């Protein structure tokens, strides 16, 4: 039995022919790679889940400050506010806060799980763990969600990119939101087709999003974009579960996203030479950071 | 098409904030520490390019020291590395260079052992937490640290490479990648041998005994 797949269409075919869910195909594929046994794979994923949970808790309960001293503490603020009738709803607001929490921990040299990258590491744990708390999902269910998310991320990695330097922020927070949306659709009993539709819609919502980190740091705008990514994932899951489909099929959306990423000028691909990084404030922050490192600025 | 593992997508577990500026820096420090191979009295890090410009904001300084102390990229003690090095009596110094480097994320590590032995390592962080060691004591090398690695310093004489690889085969150690480097014909030379399974201290002793042209060898 060949469990390998290189397109969404192939993944759906494997699900149909074997009457299994996306998470099961992904687990079988990983077992078939032969590097780890099934038991080792499950243990490794549990370790990832433990670190994800630890990073959410840390960022929501301890006042974070990034090593650059630029950011921190906002996740906690949003999480507390979530109880006071927020416009976006308590659950969305909490998930957004949890996503920020992880990236704040990351910026403060805490431990996180890249998912798919460090800069987008908040979205998947936030969406899964906050939904799990709300709905009473077990760790086994969350881990199934992580396998499903892994399959979606894999399709982007193989057919497009999951690197901001190659495809902009759509490839990082966009892909993370797609992974999270697909995962909660599967855990909620949605079909594999619905998981792929949710992923496709999540990417479509942020297609073309540039990667323009101020001073090259994984802080601004990354932390808040993780909050947006969590909200994006939740809304796309809801849209799909109520029966809305993606007019453009998943595989074509992946191809379109990649084409747009390749067309982006280098300024918008993690070089910190365009967008927010090139604003007067962004440049002033870079100068300040360089001075703190003892590197001369041209006009010093 | 690259063969991605599930854990390339969900993972690695790492201490932030950046796979290249933090996780990669820990790995460079770690491999450099193994190359230095002894206690360290003093170590100086010279950071180039983007390492110099935004290294402080990414904790690259702490990450490099953490690596030298033998920590892995997911160790939660990385942010305390400077203090931990001080407690161990290691004198750490940083220089931020604005000279151009071949690669944007480059660091030169100069270490002095308590016996006065100097070791110089040049490394770069090439993305996604992957690294390349490009120089050891002014000798050009290419070392990724992804596999167990033996570094053999030897005379550039006929048959020494065959000798070492034959002994490894007899020890049931498969060579994944191997590169040889030398200062010049007949002069000092290095072998970097990346293996599928780790090479033990006993195995190193056997190689030392059976290959007379080998001067020093150690594992990374």
């Amino acid at each position: 039995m060949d469990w390998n797949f290189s397109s969404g269409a192939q993944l759906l075919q494997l699900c149909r022919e074997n009457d299994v869910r996306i998470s099961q195909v992904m687990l079988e594929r990983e077992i078939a790679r032969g590097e780890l046994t099934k038991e080792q794979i499950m243990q490794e994923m549990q370790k990832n889940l433990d670190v994800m949970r630890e990073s959410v808790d840390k960022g929501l309960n301890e006042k974070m400050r990034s090593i650059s001293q630029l950011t921190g503490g906002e996740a906690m603020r949003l999480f507390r506010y979530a109880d006071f009738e927020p416009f976006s709803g308590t659950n969305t607001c909490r998930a957004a806060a949890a996503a920020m929490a992880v990236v704040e921990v990351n910026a403060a040299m805490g431990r996180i799980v890249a998912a798919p990258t460090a800069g987008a590491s908040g979205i998947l744990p936030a969406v899964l763990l906050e939904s799990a708390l709300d709905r009473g999902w077990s760790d086994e269910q969350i881990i199934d969600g992580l396998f499903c998310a892994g399959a979606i991320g894999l399709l982007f990695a193989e057919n497009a990119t999951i690197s901001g330097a190659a495809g902009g922020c759509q490839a990082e927070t966009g892909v993370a939101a797609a992974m999270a949306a697909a995962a909660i659709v599967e855990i909620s009993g949605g079909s594999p087709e619905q998981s792929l539709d949710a992923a496709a819609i999540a990417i479509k919502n942020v297609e073309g999003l540039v990667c323009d980190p101020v001073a090259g740091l994984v802080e601004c705008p990354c932390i808040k974009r993780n909050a947006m990514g969590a909200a994006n994932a939740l809304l796309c899951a809801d849209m799909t579960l109520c029966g809305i489909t993606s007019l453009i099929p998943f595989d074509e959306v992946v191809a379109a996203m990649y084409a747009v990423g390749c067309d982006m000028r280098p300024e918008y691909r993690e070089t910190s030479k365009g967008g927010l990084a090139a604003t007067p404030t962004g440049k002033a922050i870079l100068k300040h950071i360089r001075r703190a490192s003892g590197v001369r600025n041209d006009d010093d | 098409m690259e063969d991605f593992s599930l854990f390339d997508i969900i993972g690695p577990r790492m201490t932030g904030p950046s796979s290249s500026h933090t996780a990669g820096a820990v790995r460079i420090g770690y491999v450099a520490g193994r190359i230095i191979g002894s206690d360290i009295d003093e170590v100086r890090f010279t950071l180039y390019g983007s390492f110099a410009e935004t290294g402080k904001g990414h904790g690259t300084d702490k990450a490099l020291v953490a690596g030298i102390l033998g920590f892995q990229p997911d160790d939660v003690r990385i942010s305390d590395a400077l203090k931990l090095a001080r407690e161990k009596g290691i004198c750490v110094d940083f220089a931020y260079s604005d000279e151009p480097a071949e690669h944007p994320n480059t660091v030169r590590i100069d270490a002095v052992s308590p016996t006065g032995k100097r070791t110089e390592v040049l490394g770069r962080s090439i993305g996604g937490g992957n690294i390349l060691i490009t120089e050891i004591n002014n000798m050009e090398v290419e070392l990724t640290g992804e596999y167990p690695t033996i570094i053999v310093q030897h005379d550039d004489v006929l048959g020494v490479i065959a000798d070492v690889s034959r002994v490894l085969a007899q020890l049931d150690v498969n060579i994944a990648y191997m590169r040889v480097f030398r200062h010049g014909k007949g002069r000092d030379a290095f072998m970097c041998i990346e293996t599928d399974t780790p090479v033990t201290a006993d195995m190193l002793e056997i190689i030392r005994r059976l290959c007379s042209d080998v001067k020093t060898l150690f594992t990374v």
Side-chain angles (χ1 to χ4, degrees):
Chain A
M1 181 72 213
D2 183 6
W3 289 99
N4 215 357
F5 55 89
S6 54
S7 69
Q10 285 175 13
L11 174 60
L12 290 181
Q13 197 184 342
L14 282 171
C15 289
R16 243 189 335 264
E17 284 171 0
N18 300 285
D19 193 22
V20 293
R21 304 194 299 172
I22 293 175
S23 54
Q24 283 158 283
V25 175
M26 193 59 192
L27 174 60
E28 294 295 344
R29 178 194 180 271
E30 197 63 24
I31 295 169
R33 284 183 83 244
E35 278 184 13
L36 301 171
T37 63
K38 182 180 175 184
E39 201 177 28
Q40 288 170 323
I41 294 167
M42 300 311 283
Q43 279 171 358
E44 186 68 10
M45 202 51 111
Q46 181 68 51
K47 277 190 202 161
N48 282 345
L49 176 57
D50 292 344
V51 172
M52 285 179 170
R53 189 172 270 139
E54 189 185 284
S55 61
V56 168
D57 288 347
K58 191 177 170 72
L60 290 180
N61 293 304
E62 293 172 33
K63 188 143 185 155
M64 288 293 123
R65 199 73 207 153
S66 67
I67 19 172
S68 72
Q69 303 293 325
L70 279 178
T71 57
E74 289 167 337
M76 235 175 153
R77 178 182 286 264
L78 185 62
F79 195 76
R80 287 192 189 136
Y81 171 82
D83 288 331
F84 298 93
E85 296 180 13
F87 285 109
S88 54
T90 297
N91 287 343
T92 306
C93 210
R94 281 187 184 156
M100 292 173 74
V102 174
V103 190
E104 284 188 3
V105 166
N106 182 59
M109 291 197 94
R111 185 164 55 179
I112 55 97
V113 181
T117 62
S121 58
I123 295 164
L124 184 60
V127 168
L128 279 175
L129 290 169
E130 289 306 317
S131 301
L133 278 178
D134 184 46
R135 289 156 192 249
W137 292 341
S138 65
D139 272 15
E140 286 70 30
Q141 285 175 292
I142 303 173
I143 284 176
D144 278 349
L146 289 171
F147 280 105
C148 173
I152 302 300
L154 181 80
L155 287 170
F156 280 101
E158 287 193 343
N159 299 302
T161 174
I162 53 169
S163 147
C169 192
Q170 58 167 2
E172 297 209 15
T173 61
V175 169
M179 290 162 63
I184 56 173
V185 165
E186 179 178 310
I187 302 174
S188 308
S191 67
E193 286 80 2
Q194 284 177 310
S195 279
L196 285 195
D197 271 356
I201 300 170
I203 283 294
K204 281 153 64 177
N205 289 346
V206 293
E207 199 188 7
L209 187 63
V210 301
C211 177
D212 50 355
V214 168
L217 302 175
V218 192
E219 296 184 47
C220 171
C222 321
I223 296 173
K224 292 176 185 118
R225 281 201 189 144
N226 272 260
M228 272 310 305
N232 184 15
L234 292 170
L235 198 50
C236 291
D238 278 335
M239 279 197 259
T240 325
L241 287 168
C242 85
I244 296 174
T245 55
S246 174
L247 186 60
I248 310 293
F250 174 84
D251 288 326
E252 293 180 37
V253 172
V254 174
M257 167 270 199
Y258 188 45
V260 169
C262 294
D263 277 345
M264 267 180 209
R265 287 181 13 209
E267 288 91 312
Y268 303 122
R269 287 189 267 124
E270 214 182 304
T271 53
S272 294
K273 293 196 168 19
L276 298 170
T279 57
T281 303
K283 284 187 195 160
I285 291 171
L286 173 63
K287 258 189 196 175
H288 170 77
I289 301 267
R290 285 168 57 112
R291 262 191 215 112
S293 290
V295 179
R296 275 198 314 274
N297 290 300
D298 292 341
D299 53 357
D300 274 356
Chain B
M1 196 181 288
E2 204 178 325
D3 174 34
F4 288 95
S5 150
L6 168 60
F7 298 106
D8 293 326
I9 310 293
I10 315 238
R13 296 182 290 275
M14 56 168 272
T15 292
S18 158
S19 56
S20 55
H21 287 65
T22 320
V26 176
R27 302 237 310 140
I28 293 175
Y30 181 84
V31 175
R34 299 298 304 266
I35 292 168
I36 295 160
S38 61
D39 287 343
I40 298 171
D41 253 5
E42 290 169 42
V43 57
R44 181 184 180 88
F45 300 93
T46 309
L47 280 69
Y48 298 89
S50 169
F51 260 13
E53 292 201 8
T54 62
K56 256 217 169 104
H58 284 118
T60 306
D61 48 355
K62 294 169 181 167
L64 288 165
V65 173
I68 290 275
L69 293 175
F71 298 175
Q72 295 289 347
D74 66 344
D75 201 302
V76 287
R77 296 171 296 173
I78 292 170
S79 59
D80 295 325
L82 297 180
K83 197 177 86 182
L84 293 168
R86 250 195 322 274
E87 285 168 10
K88 282 191 136 187
I90 303 173
C91 178
V92 179
D93 178 38
F94 292 95
Y96 297 88
S97 170
D98 47 14
E99 278 173 41
E102 233 176 276
H103 187 274
N105 292 330
T106 298
V107 57
R108 181 177 295 281
I109 303 173
D110 299 288
V112 185
S113 77
T115 57
K117 187 185 88 167
R118 304 189 82 93
T119 311
E120 196 177 300
V121 176
L122 191 68
R124 49 174 84 156
S125 178
I126 55 174
N130 299 308
I131 65 152
L132 201 60
I133 301 294
T134 55
E135 256 183 62
I136 300 171
N137 294 336
N138 294 319
M139 180 95 73
E140 278 183 33
V141 297
E142 265 180 45
L143 190 65
T144 64
E146 275 172 43
Y147 293 84
T149 304
I150 325 167
I151 297 182
V152 184
Q153 195 185 4
H154 57 93
D155 292 324
D156 183 30
V157 294
L158 212 59
V160 57
I161 294 167
D163 281 351
V164 172
S165 45
R166 181 176 39 80
V167 175
L168 280 172
Q170 285 164 353
L171 292 167
D172 209 20
V173 173
N174 188 45
I175 297 175
Y177 300 98
M178 176 166 172
R179 295 184 198 85
V180 291
F181 312 88
R182 62 180 188 184
H183 271 315
K185 197 174 174 196
R187 294 172 57 193
D188 262 356
F190 268 109
M191 284 181 244
C192 283
I193 306 171
E194 294 175 299
T195 56
D196 285 328
T197 47
V199 174
T200 63
D202 289 348
M203 293 178 180
L204 287 185
E205 191 47 46
I206 293 169
I207 301 171
R208 204 173 280 127
R209 225 175 321 131
L210 295 178
C211 309
S212 55
D213 294 312
V214 166
K215 289 209 257 184
T216 58
L217 79 165
F218 51 91
T219 53
V220 171

